[in-house]
């Protein structure tokens, strides 16, 4: 018997189900990224943290769904799917590059509309919302877009080397870049959740001071973590990143007497 299609099954992938977890970590991919990007991080998390990797429409098993070209609309859709899950356990958010912007807007919805404060927002490889800038990459021709993908090394080399796979993937990638580059920060109340900014020390697309600007967007605590590597430092530093996530959630939940082991 086929399982029913629900908002949760459309949006979230549980690569390592942990029914007894104390915290759900919602993982938001970069432009052109898919839920599978977070498989290595999910695998390295402790039993008390369950990763829910977001699958944006337009890729992998959602390749027939129309991509969303607006960060605010994307966050709203994810919020609607996530709402029922907030009753089960606390939520933390991890977003890389474009995913950090989606995570920020998702945190705003959780706090502002649901009264649910995330345990933490991990904002990786992305300037603070108020420091947003665009390079106009989504307006380039296919060759220009592919050149950018090669430059930042964020797309599976098997796709870049396969003309047919690349042809299928480019529309979603271009839509994501449009969403990321046309994002407009709307001034409003600061978040109250803690924020951890993460970046690579040789990232050509974002500087450490730009990531440090995230401290302006919360009344909670902020700290900056700088790793060796470029825009996709997570590939080489996955164990260290998983350690930062684990330590941060352990400390945060200890304050509410919900230990992370």
């Amino acid at each position: 018997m086929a399982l029913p299609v629900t908002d949760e099954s459309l949006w979230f992938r549980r690569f390592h189900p942990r029914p007894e977890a104390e915290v759900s970590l919602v993982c938001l991919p970069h432009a052109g990224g898919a839920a599978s990007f977070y498989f290595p991080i999910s695998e390295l998390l402790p039993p008390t943290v369950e990763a829910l990797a977001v699958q944006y429409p337009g890729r992998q098993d959602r390749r027939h769904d129309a991509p969303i070209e607006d960060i605010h609309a994307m966050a709203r859709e994810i919020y609607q799917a996530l709402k029922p899950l907030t009753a089960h356990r606390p939520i933390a958010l991890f977003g890389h590059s474009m995913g950090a912007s989606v995570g920020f807007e998702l945190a705003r919805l959780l706090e502002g509309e649901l009264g649910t404060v995330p345990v933490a927002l991990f904002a990786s490889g992305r300037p603070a919302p108020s420091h947003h800038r665009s390079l106009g990459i989504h307006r380039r021709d296919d060759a220009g877009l592919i050149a950018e993908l090669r430059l930042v090394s964020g797309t599976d080399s098997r796709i870049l080397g396969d003309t047919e796979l690349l042809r299928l993937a480019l529309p979603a990638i271009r839509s994501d870049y449009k969403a990321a580059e046309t994002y407009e920060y709307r001034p409003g109340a600061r978040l109250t959740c803690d924020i951890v900014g993460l970046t690579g020390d040789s990232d050509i697309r974002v500087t450490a001071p730009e990531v440090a600007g995230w401290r302006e967007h919360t009344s909670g605590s902020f700290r900056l973590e700088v790793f060796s590597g470029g825009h996709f430092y997570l590939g080489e530093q996955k164990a260290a990143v998983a350690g930062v996530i684990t330590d941060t959630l352990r400390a945060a939940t200890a304050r509410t007497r919900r230990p992370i082991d």
Side-chain angles (χ1 to χ4, degrees):
M1 179 179 178
L3 293 174
V5 177
T6 64
D7 283 347
E8 178 184 347
S9 64
L10 280 176
W11 284 98
F12 304 116
R13 303 292 174 269
R14 300 172 191 254
F15 298 120
H16 304 93
R18 294 173 177 136
E20 303 306 315
E22 297 289 339
V23 178
S24 294
L25 179 69
V26 178
C27 300
L28 302 138
H30 54 282
S36 57
F37 176 75
Y38 285 107
F39 183 95
I41 296 291
S42 172
E43 189 173 34
L44 291 169
L45 293 174
T48 41
V49 181
E50 182 181 58
L52 303 180
V54 172
Q55 189 75 298
Y56 301 141
R59 66 223 65 206
Q60 292 185 340
D61 55 346
R62 297 193 66 187
R63 62 188 179 278
H64 298 302
D65 296 339
I68 298 175
E69 298 183 340
D70 179 83
I71 294 293
H72 297 280
M74 182 83 79
R76 173 65 65 178
E77 291 286 340
I78 298 169
Y79 169 70
Q80 294 297 339
L82 185 61
K83 272 200 300 186
L85 304 183
T86 61
H88 302 298
R89 62 173 74 125
I91 300 292
L93 307 172
F94 189 108
H96 180 65
S97 198
M98 179 188 79
S101 295
V102 179
F104 173 70
E105 294 299 338
L106 180 56
R108 280 181 143 185
L109 291 170
L110 288 168
E111 290 198 7
E113 296 192 9
L114 200 60
T116 296
V117 178
V119 177
L121 168 61
F122 298 91
S124 169
R126 183 75 164 167
S130 55
H131 295 198
H132 175 69
R133 53 185 167 73
S134 172
L135 298 175
I137 294 167
H138 72 281
R139 293 193 295 270
R140 297 179 184 176
D141 61 15
D142 287 354
L145 184 55
I146 293 169
E148 172 66 17
L149 299 178
R150 294 186 188 281
L151 182 64
V152 298
S153 303
T155 301
D156 191 326
S157 59
R158 292 171 296 180
I159 294 177
L160 291 177
D162 187 313
T163 303
E164 183 61 20
L165 283 178
L166 194 55
R167 182 184 66 81
L168 293 173
L170 275 179
I173 294 172
R174 186 178 299 280
S175 292
D176 283 357
Y177 269 94
K178 181 178 180 181
E181 294 189 314
T182 59
Y183 169 67
E184 293 185 1
Y185 166 66
R186 300 169 183 171
R190 291 194 295 171
L191 295 175
T192 62
C193 67
D194 297 342
I195 296 180
V196 179
L198 307 94
T199 189
D201 60 6
S202 57
D203 191 335
I204 63 172
R205 288 291 176 249
V206 60
T207 67
E210 287 176 323
V211 178
W214 281 90
R215 73 172 71 250
E216 303 168 11
H217 295 281
T218 184
S219 61
S221 71
F222 174 85
R223 79 175 189 275
L224 177 66
E225 298 280 352
V226 180
F227 299 86
S228 174
H231 191 61
F232 285 94
Y233 69 90
L234 281 84
E236 299 175 355
Q237 304 292 342
K238 54 183 177 292
V241 172
V244 167
I245 293 170
T246 300
D247 291 346
T248 300
L249 298 184
R250 179 188 294 120
T253 54
R255 295 197 295 268
T256 58
R257 298 182 181 178
R258 295 177 65 92
I260 295 292
D261 298 320

